[in-house]
Amino acid sequence: MEGDKEHPLVIGKFKNPHGFKNINMNNLGIQYANSNKSWMTSLIFKNWVERLNSKMSVENRKILLLLDNAPVHYFDGEFSNIELYFLPPKTTSKIQPIDQGIVHSFKSWYKKGMTRNLSMGTNIGTLSYTDELTKFKLVNALPLIIEA
C-alpha cells in the first residue's frame, strides 16, 4: 500500500559475468542470480523469498505474496512474515492481460532508455547501432532496468 519497491531480480547465465569485473554486486541496485538458461528456478525463488522475509522481519512487516502456479514457486516451508497465496489453477488466461500490461510497460520504458543511450553514445559516421549493441553489456543494462 505504501508503494515500497524491491530491487529488481535479474537472472543471468553466469555466476560472475565478465562485465561485472571489479564491481561490487551489492551496490548495483538489483538482486542478481544465475541459472544455466537464465530462467527462474526453485532455488533462486526460495532464496529470493527468504531474503524478502528477512527484510520484512527486520521492518516488522507482514505481507501477502500472490503467485501463479508455476512449478518453481512450490517448495516446503513457511515464512514468519510472508504468506504465500497461490492463484487458482487455469486462471492465467483471465489474469494474463494484466500481466501483459505490466510486461509491455516495462519493455516500453526499457526500449526508450536503450534508444536514448544508443543515440547519445553513437558517433555519427563511425559506429552503427549494431556495433554499439555488440559493445553493450549486462552491466550497461542495469540502470535501464532499474529506471524501467
Side-chain angles (χ1 to χ4, degrees), residues 49 52-53 56 62-65 79-84:
V49 175
L52 182 61
N53 187 63
M56 294 299 107
K62 294 194 180 246
I63 63 170
L64 175 68
L65 190 57
F79 300 99
S80 59
N81 291 65
I82 296 177
E83 182 179 343
L84 303 179

Side-chain angles (χ1 to χ4, degrees), residues 4 15 19 23 25 58 61 69-72 76-77 81-82 111 113 122 130-131 138:
D4 292 345
K15 185 173 183 174
I23 294 176
M25 300 282 275
V58 167
R61 295 175 59 192
N69 290 302
V72 298
D76 293 331
N81 291 65
I82 296 177
K111 288 175 184 177
T122 302
T130 307
D131 293 333
L138 178 59

Side-chain angles (χ1 to χ4, degrees), residues 17-82:
H18 182 70
F20 290 171
K21 189 182 264 186
N22 302 323
I23 294 176
N24 185 347
M25 300 282 275
N26 297 323
N27 295 333
L28 290 176
I30 61 142
Q31 296 178 48
Y32 181 81
N34 69 296
S35 70
N36 290 340
K37 295 185 179 182
S38 300
W39 290 351
M40 175 66 80
T41 65
S42 296
L43 182 61
I44 291 172
F45 180 72
K46 181 180 181 210
N47 290 338
W48 179 80
V49 175
E50 286 173 345
R51 280 193 301 266
L52 182 61
N53 187 63
S54 295
K55 180 181 178 188
M56 294 299 107
S57 180
V58 167
E59 295 177 5
N60 198 25
R61 295 175 59 192
K62 294 194 180 246
I63 63 170
L64 175 68
L65 190 57
L66 298 174
L67 301 166
D68 65 11
N69 290 302
V72 298
H73 294 156
Y74 289 99
F75 58 89
D76 293 331
E78 293 186 13
F79 300 99
S80 59
N81 291 65
I82 296 177

Side-chain angles (χ1 to χ4, degrees), residues 90-102:
K90 300 181 182 176
T91 57
T92 302
S93 62
K94 306 269 189 277
I95 62 171
Q96 191 169 7
I98 296 169
D99 184 40
Q100 290 303 312
I102 293 166

Side-chain angles (χ1 to χ4, degrees), residues 96-109:
Q96 191 169 7
I98 296 169
D99 184 40
Q100 290 303 312
I102 293 166
V103 171
H104 175 74
S105 177
F106 173 80
K107 285 182 176 181
S108 295
W109 280 101

